Amino acid sequence: MTSTDPSRLTLARYALAGAAIATLALPAFADEDWRKLADQRPPREGQIWRAGSTERSTSHPFLGENVYLQSWFPLSAFPGGNTTANDCWGYTSPSGRRYAILGLRKGFGFVEVTDPKNAQYVGYISGATSLWHDVKVLGHYAYGVSEGGLGIQVISMANIDNGVVTLLRNQSTSGHSTTHNIVSNPASGFLYLAGANVGNGGLVAVSTADPTRPNIVGAWTTHYVHDAQVVTYTSGPYAGREIAFCFNGGFGLEILDVTNKSSMTKISGLTYPWLSYCHQGWLSEDRKYLYVDDELDEGTKVWTTTTRVFDVQNPGNPIYLGSFTSGRQAIDHNQYTYNGRIYQANYRSGLQIFEETGDPLNPLHVGYFDTVPEDDRAKFNGAWSVYPYFGEDTILISDIESGLLVVEFDPRKLVIEPLAAPEVVGPDNTSNTVTVLITGDGTDVVPSSVMLHASINDGPEILVPAIDNGDGTFTASLPPAPCPSHIDYYFSAQSQTDRTFTFPKNPAQTKPRVLVAATSNVVYEDLFTSHGFNGWNFGDPSSPDTATTGRWIKMVPNPTVAQPGSGYTGEICWVTDGRAGENPQQYSVGGGKTTLMSPVFNLNGAVDPRVSYWRWFVNGIGSEASNESLTIDISNDGGWTWTNLEVVNNASGQDDGGWFYAEHRLAGLLPLTSQMRVRFVAADYPLAFTTVEAAIDDFRVIDVGCTFCPADYNTSGSADVLDLLDFFSDFGLCFDAPLPCGEFGNPDVNADDTVDVLDFLDFLDFFGQGCN
């Protein structure tokens, strides 16, 4: 719809115009805030956030929801030249002071986290060089192992409160050298080795009767054990028995009775659908359920992080119940339970926190802290493990690349929502206010902290305090800017809990944008609200399509890990076959490229046109491939020759789903003609086993100018009857009302800070003169 669409000439506006002409004045609409008459959609520049949207801190490169960074010890904070980190565990000294133990490529680091916001380095113990280290604690001893050898490193923490940790010895018995994981059972005082070079890689029992000289006393040697949790039952049929829940790779879950170390026996075992590599798991605190992660299924057999759930109330007869998911693509790695919550370290999606609900298959996802915010791909880097047992204010995360992170779970938050925001503001600084609604969830906003952060043409940030309107809304004025230009902005607000929240929730990645112009005219717009094609075409006469699956179609897409469940502003959008198959690849773009072309639009005589749209793109689920792309081009000869606007691919950082806004200024890019059109080309590398999905919504072409004509009240580019009607509408709305005011423009024509009959007479004079 263009600005001269006759459908805008409603009877109500004719009536309003007649009343205004008859009376030369109208009272302001009582108790009606002009800002609430503006477009209520979210700002058209920025990202719309998927389920589990994020808060971005401006002081660190991580993302989170309800989880906040307290302290960060990168790899460089530890001696030894370590290039990776691995496992983590914790220790509380008799004095109550708390310490983190971090596995590193060449040893173990010790950090005091008693004050989680001011963690302090304590010491470092050198060890074997390996990507894999593991550590557990019994008493005041830390027992470290590694795939690199040295047996069990026995580390005394008896004097840790004085800043001293001591390697007592590298203990090796029965030829033991390398180990993948070490397990502790504080109730029995035994350690267990998993994946060691002794005992056929099975579960090896280690006595700590002499805690300084741990000694192998038995083993279950049937086959390899990757990891385990060992507990002692105090009631029920297994009272007094020590039971090991073993996670055995391709063998699945196996449960052992390890009470008798010289005769450890298997009492049950179970696999599950889509078993790839049963990696690790942990019991619920009531020991009714077992949560299991499979390290090799994501991206090959399942398409989102999948936690398997078993009923183990009878360890001799476990029952597979099903699974739940975080909805991310990442691989799950290690998880633990504490105080009714499940804490998961899931590689590239970081820490994920679930709250148990009584239904083990439907825990509530209550927070996360993403240590690799670029994407959630199914790759082996990011968060390795988590230690939640210090409580929700001191949660430890070990990250392969980032080292040790101390975070806090705090569900209290502020929600900042846009109410009124202009898309275009005039160079005279009119209609330049932005309003947001701030609501608290468990906390309240500090009103004086609400700020608008603005940047003109990507320049330095300008801070503008927001005005408290007294009803939960806050309004700020965008700074004056030259014409033509653009202003990017975001809001920040501090809570009573001393947290900072923003809108958008990740302003470092994308922010709303406002154009500065004297005139603006919508040349072409299609919000894709109906199923008709409206002149959009498939294919490309200059380069035939080759994709065999996933061709463009206009529909309501089915929500999957790769595609949205709707368009950006409505249900319908253009999407590369929006059906949901048995796996994400089934209907994704495959075997080549597929092209969507806009109708031809006329830019003859345009002053400063812009083309904009919202796009969604997913590239590479289930593959390391990075050759797939979404390419957007523009033509000025109806589609025979093309000029590139952008390429969205692996290098763009916007190829992992989510709606993103794109806007391109066309002046100077190519000659403007009456035969303009845009194409969207989604392409899949033919030999890649991967998923490529694209979607487009809210396509728009707008022309802006810097020459102002007072008669062109609605800045459409020409003076016509609509300008008269729009002025009458705003005049009635804003007569004697507080400024700024106006839905279509600024009715304070003579700029005397009030809307009265003189403005009406001045506008009639301007309208009579018209625009040259």
Side-chain angles (χ1 to χ4, degrees):
M1 183 182 75
T2 69
S3 60
T4 55
D5 191 328
S7 66
R8 296 181 60 216
L9 304 179
T10 63
L11 291 176
R13 293 180 64 197
Y14 274 125
L16 178 61
I21 292 172
T23 63
L24 293 183
L26 273 179
F29 296 154
D31 299 323
E32 187 71 74
D33 186 342
W34 73 270
R35 290 180 295 272
K36 296 179 182 177
L37 300 177
D39 186 355
Q40 296 299 299
R41 290 183 296 169
R44 302 182 67 96
E45 172 72 15
Q47 182 183 9
I48 185 169
W49 304 99
R50 295 165 290 175
S53 58
T54 61
E55 180 193 353
R56 174 86 172 195
S57 167
T58 57
S59 61
H60 60 77
F62 309 115
L63 297 178
E65 180 181 37
N66 297 341
V67 184
Y68 303 91
L69 184 67
Q70 303 279 67
S71 294
W72 177 19
F73 273 72
L75 297 173
S76 59
F78 298 93
N82 291 279
T83 56
T84 57
N86 38 74
D87 204 17
C88 64
W89 205 249
Y91 169 66
T92 301
S93 73
S95 67
R97 292 165 67 175
R98 296 170 171 177
Y99 298 90
I101 309 170
L102 178 67
L104 295 158
R105 191 177 191 89
K106 298 180 181 181
F108 297 95
F110 294 77
V111 176
E112 182 172 5
V113 295
T114 306
D115 179 357
K117 294 183 179 180
N118 186 31
Q120 298 293 318
Y121 172 79
V122 175
Y124 176 75
I125 298 296
S126 294
T129 299
S130 174
L131 177 65
W132 294 275
H133 287 72
D134 197 14
V135 62
K136 293 296 182 292
V137 171
L138 286 176
H140 62 260
Y141 297 96
Y143 298 94
V145 297
S146 167
E147 290 270 20
L150 298 182
I152 300 175
Q153 294 193 276
V154 183
I155 303 165
S156 173
M157 299 180 289
N159 203 23
I160 196 170
D161 284 352
N162 295 318
V164 178
V165 290
T166 305
L167 175 64
L168 299 182
R169 62 183 45 84
N170 297 322
Q171 177 76 357
S172 180
T173 60
S174 305
H176 172 227
S177 175
T178 65
T179 311
H180 190 78
N181 281 309
I182 187 167
V183 181
S184 65
N185 180 7
S188 70
F190 278 89
L191 297 169
Y192 295 85
L193 308 177
N197 69 312
V198 293
N200 196 31
L203 191 68
V204 178
V206 179
S207 170
T208 60
D210 179 350
T212 68
R213 297 182 182 275
N215 184 47
I216 292 176
V217 294
W220 183 78
T221 61
T222 302
H223 55 67
Y224 179 83
V225 173
H226 186 80
D227 205 347
Q229 181 185 7
V230 183
V231 297
T232 300
Y233 282 80
T234 58
S235 62
Y238 289 89
R241 311 300 293 176
E242 195 172 4
I243 304 299
F245 295 84
C246 299
F247 313 100
N248 297 347
F251 296 100
L253 169 67
E254 292 180 291
I255 302 176
L256 313 180
D257 186 333
V258 297
T259 309
N260 184 347
K261 305 303 182 285
S262 62
S263 181
M264 297 190 284
T265 59
K266 176 179 173 178
I267 60 174
S268 64
L270 195 63
T271 60
Y272 47 84
W274 300 113
L275 168 66
S276 290
Y277 197 87
C278 184
H279 177 263
Q280 188 264 358
W282 211 253
L283 291 163
S284 60
E285 292 169 287
D286 58 11
R287 297 183 182 174
K288 289 183 179 180
Y289 306 108
L290 181 68
Y291 305 108
V292 175
D293 45 74
D294 187 307
E295 193 178 16
L296 298 182
D297 58 344
E298 280 84 15
T300 58
K301 295 181 179 179
V302 298
W303 309 105
T304 58
T305 309
T306 302
T307 302
R308 271 54 178 222
V309 184
F310 297 83
D311 183 330
V312 292
Q313 296 180 70
N314 179 2
N317 184 31
I319 301 170
Y320 176 69
L321 298 179
S323 63
F324 64 84
T325 178
S326 67
R328 308 296 187 94
Q329 303 167 24
I331 299 168
D332 44 355
H333 196 227
N334 290 295
Q335 60 187 314
Y336 299 95
T337 59
Y338 185 60
N339 276 352
R341 298 193 185 101
I342 306 164
Y343 295 83
Q344 300 183 336
N346 292 344
Y347 279 131
R348 291 183 72 90
S349 68
L351 169 67
Q352 303 288 325
I353 305 176
F354 294 86
E355 196 162 276
E356 294 172 310
T357 61
D359 179 353
L361 299 182
N362 289 286
L364 180 65
H365 187 255
V366 294
Y368 72 89
F369 190 86
D370 194 343
T371 59
V372 188
E374 293 83 0
D375 62 65
D376 295 329
R377 295 185 187 280
K379 296 182 179 180
F380 299 95
N381 64 304
W384 182 290
S385 194
V386 56
Y387 182 84
Y389 299 109
F390 289 146
E392 61 188 27
D393 64 337
T394 312
I395 302 165
L396 309 180
I397 304 172
S398 57
D399 185 271
I400 298 174
E401 294 82 16
S402 297
L404 175 68
L405 301 111
V406 185
V407 300
E408 177 181 10
F409 172 72
D410 183 356
R412 299 169 296 177
K413 60 188 174 183
L414 300 178
V415 179
I416 307 176
E417 302 173 275
L419 287 185
E423 295 181 7
V424 180
V425 297
D428 57 352
N429 211 33
T430 57
S431 303
N432 71 333
T433 58
V434 185
T435 299
V436 293
L437 172 67
I438 303 179
T439 55
D441 182 359
T443 187
D444 293 315
V445 66
V446 177
S448 61
S449 72
V450 182
M451 290 282 178
L452 179 133
H453 306 247
S455 173
I456 300 170
N457 293 334
D458 306 316
E461 189 173 274
I462 302 169
L463 289 178
V464 181
I467 297 172
D468 183 358
N469 298 318
D471 58 358
T473 65
F474 293 79
T475 300
S477 297
L478 296 166
C483 181
S485 60
H486 65 263
I487 304 173
D488 297 326
Y489 69 91
Y490 70 95
F491 276 86
S492 69
Q494 188 174 2
S495 70
Q496 299 285 355
T497 54
D498 199 28
R499 307 287 190 195
T500 299
F501 297 84
T502 63
F503 170 81
K505 293 183 178 179
N506 185 2
Q509 184 175 19
T510 184
K511 294 183 281 289
R513 170 169 293 182
V514 172
L515 296 178
V516 179
T519 61
S520 62
N521 178 41
V522 178
V523 177
Y524 177 83
E525 183 178 72
D526 195 337
L527 303 182
F528 308 134
T529 56
S530 65
H531 288 281
F533 288 176
N534 298 333
W536 289 77
N537 294 316
F538 319 106
D540 184 350
S542 66
S543 177
D545 283 347
T546 54
T548 55
T549 59
R551 296 201 173 201
W552 288 100
I553 186 171
K554 194 178 184 185
M555 64 179 291
V556 179
N558 289 290
T560 70
V561 66
Q563 62 193 24
S566 66
Y568 171 61
T569 55
E571 294 294 312
I572 302 171
C573 64
W574 283 99
V575 62
T576 50
D577 197 335
R579 291 178 289 175
E582 295 181 358
N583 59 64
Q585 279 91 8
Q586 185 171 353
Y587 296 120
S588 73
V589 180
K593 70 180 183 70
T594 177
T595 304
L596 173 68
M597 282 210 282
S598 76
V600 171
F601 51 89
N602 184 2
L603 289 182
N604 261 337
V607 178
D608 190 4
R610 323 287 178 97
V611 61
S612 65
Y613 45 85
W614 286 86
R615 54 170 165 75
W616 174 291
F617 186 61
V618 168
N619 163 31
I621 296 177
S623 169
E624 298 295 322
S626 59
N627 296 309
E628 298 79 14
S629 62
L630 173 63
T631 301
I632 299 93
D633 302 315
I634 190 166
S635 171
N636 64 359
D637 58 8
W640 292 100
T641 61
W642 298 93
T643 299
N644 182 249
L645 292 176
E646 64 171 334
V647 177
V648 186
N649 55 21
N650 185 258
S652 70
Q654 298 181 353
D655 64 334
D656 194 36
W659 284 106
F660 287 85
Y661 178 76
E663 179 183 295
H664 306 281
R665 189 177 183 184
L666 303 181
L669 183 65
L670 75 172
L672 305 176
T673 71
S674 62
Q675 297 296 305
M676 310 295 293
R677 74 189 317 176
V678 173
R679 72 177 178 185
F680 301 87
V681 182
D684 173 47
Y685 186 66
L687 300 180
F689 178 72
T690 188
T691 297
V692 176
E693 292 284 7
I696 299 296
D697 202 6
D698 286 13
F699 183 86
R700 194 182 197 205
V701 182
I702 185 172
D703 185 28
V704 299
C706 290
T707 302
F708 179 71
C709 170
D712 182 16
Y713 181 76
N714 56 25
T715 66
S716 65
S718 62
D720 53 28
V721 66
L722 292 178
D723 294 290
L724 193 65
L725 296 175
D726 287 342
F727 173 77
F728 290 157
S729 176
D730 281 355
F731 183 80
L733 178 69
C734 303
F735 188 84
D736 274 345
L739 297 177
C741 180
E743 181 178 2
F744 302 100
N746 178 17
D748 182 19
V749 178
N750 58 17
D752 64 354
D753 296 324
T754 184
V755 177
D756 55 23
V757 67
L758 296 178
D759 296 292
F760 189 91
L761 295 174
D762 285 344
F763 180 76
L764 290 183
D765 185 39
F766 286 132
F767 189 78
Q769 299 174 32
C771 296
N772 294 328

